[in-house]
Amino acid sequence: RLRRAHNIALGLWPHPWECEGCAGPATDVHHRDRDNTNNEAHNLSILCRGCHVTLHNRAKETGRGKYGR
């Protein structure tokens, strides 16, 4: 499922893929609503690994669980 989301997301944005957080090279796909089965375009963000990890760590620190928005 995650590979499918990755392929969907990267197909929606022009190449080269740019991180929505820092404008660096994007490698990860983040599900904004925390549901990794929801692969609607509005629910997907493309991020570099660093921004993706930071986003999830921030969610843990704020009590939002494993996933953040």
Side-chain angles (χ1 to χ4, degrees):
R1 266 187 253 167
L2 293 179
R3 175 60 39 198
R4 181 170 180 264
H6 191 265
N7 291 338
I8 290 169
L10 296 181
L12 295 173
W13 283 272
H15 185 59
W17 301 296
E18 192 174 273
C19 174
E20 293 177 16
C22 70
T27 56
D28 289 11
V29 176
H30 175 70
H31 290 83
R32 292 177 180 149
D33 71 356
R34 307 179 212 167
D35 177 2
N36 66 8
T37 63
N38 180 359
N39 293 318
E40 297 294 323
H42 62 83
N43 187 49
L44 304 176
S45 295
I46 56 172
L47 302 168
C48 69
R49 186 68 184 149
C51 287
H52 198 189
V53 168
T54 299
L55 183 66
H56 283 263
N57 287 341
R58 193 176 314 135
K60 288 178 191 175
E61 291 169 6
T62 60
R64 295 183 85 176
K66 182 178 173 185
Y67 304 103
R69 289 185 189 204

